[in-house]
Amino acid sequence: MGVHEVNQTITRMVDSAVTTHSASGEVREQLLVLASRSFASVGKLGDDAEAVAGLERAVTTCVRLGVDLDTTLSIVIGAIELVVDAAPATSPLADGSGQILRTVRVATGLVARVYGQAGPPTHDSVEAAQEVAAALLRGDSSKVLGQCNQIAVADAYAIMAVHLPTRRGRPHDAPRSLAEPIVARLYSELRRRFGPSALALLGETGATVLVPDTAFGEFTALAGFVEVLRTAEGHIPTGVVLCAPTDEVPRVAEQVHAALDVATRLGMTERLHRFSDIAVEYQLTRPGPGRDALSTLLDPLEDHPDLIETLRTYVETGHDRRRTARRLHLHPNSVDYRLKRIFRLTGFDTIDPARLWNLRSALVIRDHHNECTAVRA
């Protein structure tokens, strides 16, 4: 079997696994790497440290990407079988020799070890991770602390503020604990996807998650982590993430938690936001003369809740009067009439994009203020 045929066979094997597991393009590429590493390692794993290290790196990346153990093992064993099938009849590899058996033993042992290390976290490992996370969030020097807990402290992190949905019947003021399924899953998935250096510190309503910036490729990996924490009722946690150097972790953590509060109060829930996605809403809710000036724009509409509802719906539907009408169960002409009344009362024409942006900003400030007032009451 020539090189071209080998590559084709490996590709078919990986594509079969990808189809079966609905894997992403990134997973497919990594499985191709894993298969190639496994194929090339036959006969070398016993005494070639570089071959062992290369295969271990490939398996570790599969763990981080969420590839299940069965798929990883099937790719590794399939690649080794391919070596046997491709070997000439005169080759010692063609008769199921001890060399092949040693390769299988070392390879499967390596896979089991890597997946075992990424298994469910123990109480001690969670405590160690929380201790290091707490130190980082305080701004303490955590290199020594991390080494003592066998946790590598990264140079930079993706810092996530995550609000965890509350199970039905659970008191809202009860402290979060590892006994809760969603909390246990958070630590387990965090370790499985991003390795033991990923950290999380529980809070009253959620957690602060610190993922080393070298442990994930794209935002989608972080979003996938949040989505997998879906509750039995189907609710997905809400989160905000921003990357920063380690020495800026305390400041950025405070910032993303404030942004998470804004997102939650404005109903922008059940997904992970980049901080930049909600930076406008975040900034509009910060104290200052700009917020104070914008907050008064809707004062003329206070006695007209139907107009405020129309404006909000018009903004939410992307300025589509027909969709606005359908959602409000109105005729499009009625929507036009209400938008004209908003213009007359506020002096801001919704047809003008700049003026509409001002009105939308005022809505954000108003909604955030009303939500905060309701909570305090």
Side-chain angles (χ1 to χ4, degrees):
M1 186 181 292
V3 174
H4 180 67
E5 290 177 283
V6 169
N7 288 337
Q8 282 188 322
T9 305
I10 286 177
T11 300
R12 284 196 298 271
M13 178 175 65
V14 168
D15 284 342
S16 175
V18 168
T19 301
T20 302
H21 295 276
S22 302
S24 67
E26 188 179 8
V27 168
R28 180 182 182 276
E29 290 302 314
Q30 185 54 37
L31 290 179
L32 286 170
V33 171
L34 176 66
S36 299
R37 292 276 189 186
S38 301
F39 184 89
S41 69
V42 174
K44 299 179 181 178
L45 291 182
D47 53 12
D48 189 330
E50 181 55 37
V52 173
L55 183 58
E56 183 169 354
R57 285 194 298 271
V59 174
T60 300
T61 304
C62 287
V63 171
R64 178 176 63 78
L65 293 175
V67 180
D68 61 85
L69 176 60
D70 288 346
T71 298
T72 298
L73 277 174
S74 70
I75 293 294
V76 171
I77 299 301
I80 295 173
E81 288 176 342
L82 184 57
V83 174
V84 177
D85 293 341
T90 56
S91 170
L93 297 177
D95 61 359
S97 67
Q99 195 174 50
I100 290 293
L101 294 177
R102 281 195 299 274
T103 298
V104 171
R105 185 175 65 251
V106 174
T108 54
L110 184 151
V111 171
R113 175 171 57 79
V114 172
Y115 271 81
Q117 290 173 344
T122 64
H123 180 75
D124 288 344
S125 68
V126 169
E127 281 198 341
Q130 291 206 86
E131 187 178 5
V132 176
L136 285 169
L137 290 165
R138 289 194 304 268
D140 292 350
S141 175
S142 301
K143 293 287 185 183
V144 174
L145 179 61
Q147 290 168 0
C148 291
N149 287 303
Q150 297 183 325
I151 295 173
V153 175
D155 293 328
Y157 287 91
I159 303 158
M160 276 189 280
V162 181
H163 180 272
L164 299 176
T166 302
R167 291 184 68 190
R168 190 179 299 137
R170 176 187 177 276
H172 285 275
D173 57 351
R176 312 307 296 241
S177 74
L178 194 58
E180 290 182 67
I182 193 170
V183 174
R185 195 157 68 252
L186 180 147
Y187 279 102
S188 179
E189 287 293 331
L190 188 64
R191 181 184 178 91
R192 186 174 73 84
R193 290 167 179 261
F194 306 118
S197 295
L199 310 169
L201 182 66
L202 291 177
E204 291 183 4
T205 60
T208 306
V209 177
L210 306 176
V211 179
D213 66 342
T214 56
F216 65 96
E218 300 176 352
F219 171 78
T220 51
L222 301 175
F225 161 70
V226 170
E227 288 173 8
V228 83
L229 301 179
R230 182 189 300 269
T231 66
E233 293 82 12
H235 299 301
I236 298 171
T238 304
V240 177
V241 62
L242 181 62
C243 293
T246 299
D247 59 358
E248 294 186 23
V249 164
R251 177 185 64 80
V252 173
E254 184 176 340
Q255 192 173 330
V256 292
H257 273 283
L260 175 61
D261 179 71
V262 171
T264 302
R265 293 183 188 280
L266 294 178
M268 304 165 68
T269 56
E270 301 208 10
R271 60 187 181 276
L272 180 66
H273 301 275
R274 296 179 181 88
F275 181 82
S276 58
D277 293 339
I278 58 171
V280 171
E281 288 81 0
Y282 169 80
Q283 198 60 44
L284 286 171
T285 59
R286 301 302 92 189
R291 185 190 69 173
D292 294 342
L294 286 168
S295 66
T296 64
L297 295 186
L298 298 182
D299 286 354
L301 305 183
E302 282 301 320
D303 295 330
H304 305 278
D306 58 324
L307 298 185
I308 291 178
E309 182 185 21
T310 300
L311 176 61
R312 179 179 290 105
T313 306
Y314 184 66
V315 169
E316 290 174 352
T317 57
H319 321 149
D320 188 322
R321 53 189 287 276
R322 293 188 179 279
R323 287 176 58 201
T324 300
R326 285 197 298 271
R327 187 181 293 188
L328 296 177
H329 306 292
L330 296 171
H331 191 280
N333 289 345
S334 298
V335 172
D336 289 340
Y337 172 72
R338 289 187 179 185
L339 293 176
K340 288 175 182 177
R341 287 188 65 200
I342 291 171
F343 178 26
R344 285 198 298 270
L345 290 169
T346 65
F348 285 78
D349 192 348
T350 56
I351 297 176
D352 184 337
R355 295 298 190 181
L356 182 59
W357 192 92
N358 287 340
L359 291 172
R360 177 189 177 278
S361 300
L363 269 177
V364 169
I365 295 168
R366 180 182 185 278
D367 289 346
H368 185 263
H369 172 75
N370 289 347
E371 178 64 24
C372 290
T373 302
V375 170
R376 285 195 294 269

